[in-house]
Each structure stands twice: as structure tokens, then as C-alpha cells.
Amino acid sequence: MRGTVKWFSTKRGYGFIVGQDEIDYHVSVRDVSGVTLPANGDTVEFEVTQGKRASRATRVTVVQRAASARQPVQATDDRVVCASCQRRMVPRMISYRGEPRKSVCPFCGTTYQKFGGFLRTHRTSAAPVRFVFDILTRAIALVNAKAARINADRRSDKQ
């Protein structure tokens, strides 16, 4: 019988094939004949057997690859060219006290980009954050203390 691969997971080792009769058939890696595993959308030939739960596809062979499977995946190159040494590189970040200052070429050390503006003119300070954290900590402590008093009162009322 011929069918189309609905989906196949190489990590899990199984998938499903939709046959010409519009029925889903379970397929496992051990049921695949040949070197290549089927991919989503491939046309396959297989034999039908009855499994424990449902119909299975056995002796699966790939007849025709799907269009997306034939196209090689193009790797993206996010590197840039250094103006000084003309080498392709990924700039390295230089920071001072947690703030990014500039990025440099890892080969020749030439500055690729300087960072300024908001990061330079508006220094972040830990003092306001610490203040808010202290207020929240005190509020939580007060709520917990009040809850403990209420629970203690309820216990004494039951006795």
C-alpha cells in the first residue's frame, strides 16, 4: 500500500502514515527498510499488519521525498567583517561595572562599536532597587506575623 508520512520523530523513533484508504498507521524505526528514515510529507510504500492497539505499517520504504526534505538547510552567518584586519568575526563585548562600553575584534582588538546614549548617561543604581526590596521584605514579615497571631487566636478559641 502507498501512503504519506503524517509525521515522524527521529528522536522518539516512531510516527504515523496516512494510507490511501485515509487510515492512520503507526510506524516504528524498526519497521523502516533502507538507510534513510522517512520525513514529514514523504511518499512511502508499506505493508499493513495488526498491532496490539491499532493497525501498523511494516516494511516501510521511502518512494519519493517531500519537496522540503530535498532542499538543504542554509546556515546563517551572523559574523561581521573587521574594518582593520578584514577577518570575519563575532565581536566581543567589553563592559565596565556591568554596563556595556564597546565591542572589539577578537583578532586585532580594534573597536567595532561603542555603546553610549541611555546606557552611559543614565547610570543604573542598586540603591532604589534595594530600597523597594527592603520595603517588600518588611511588608511580607508583617503579613506573616499577623497570620501567625490569627492562627494562634483560632487555636486558643478551639480549646
Side-chain angles (χ1 to χ4, degrees):
M1 179 184 284
R2 277 190 179 231
T4 306
V5 178
K6 187 174 185 179
W7 69 269
F8 188 85
S9 172
T10 55
K11 288 184 180 179
R12 294 181 180 168
Y14 71 92
F16 290 93
I17 297 173
V18 178
Q20 293 170 335
D21 53 0
E22 300 297 323
I23 296 176
D24 288 354
Y25 296 97
H26 182 268
V27 62
S28 178
V29 170
R30 65 176 175 235
D31 299 322
V32 177
S33 300
V35 181
T36 59
L37 292 174
N40 298 348
D42 288 353
T43 303
V44 293
E45 281 186 349
F46 60 96
E47 292 181 11
V48 179
T49 58
Q50 189 61 35
K52 291 181 182 178
R53 296 182 190 168
S55 299
R56 290 181 60 112
T58 57
R59 296 186 185 177
V60 179
T61 55
V62 178
V63 176
Q64 183 180 5
R65 287 278 186 197
S68 62
R70 279 187 258 144
Q71 297 172 353
V73 177
Q74 199 96 46
T76 58
D77 189 10
D78 295 331
R79 297 179 297 171
V80 293
V81 177
C82 175
S84 178
C85 66
Q86 301 300 316
R87 294 176 77 177
R88 296 190 65 70
M89 54 105 179
V90 176
R92 302 298 187 250
M93 185 74 69
I94 306 293
S95 61
Y96 178 72
R97 293 189 179 179
E99 292 184 18
R101 295 294 181 181
K102 62 182 178 177
S103 60
V104 297
C105 172
F107 302 110
C108 66
T110 303
T111 300
Y112 175 73
Q113 183 179 6
K114 287 187 178 182
F115 302 109
F118 180 79
L119 295 172
R120 277 254 169 102
T121 57
H122 302 291
R123 291 187 140 295
T124 57
S125 176
V129 175
R130 185 71 179 161
F131 176 73
V132 171
F133 180 75
D134 289 341
I135 289 174
L136 288 174
T137 305
R138 289 179 188 153
I140 290 170
L142 288 173
V143 168
N144 287 340
K146 187 169 185 175
R149 272 187 257 129
I150 291 171
N151 286 336
D153 290 342
R154 285 183 183 166
R155 283 189 212 122
S156 64
D157 289 343
K158 287 182 181 179
Q159 293 176 357

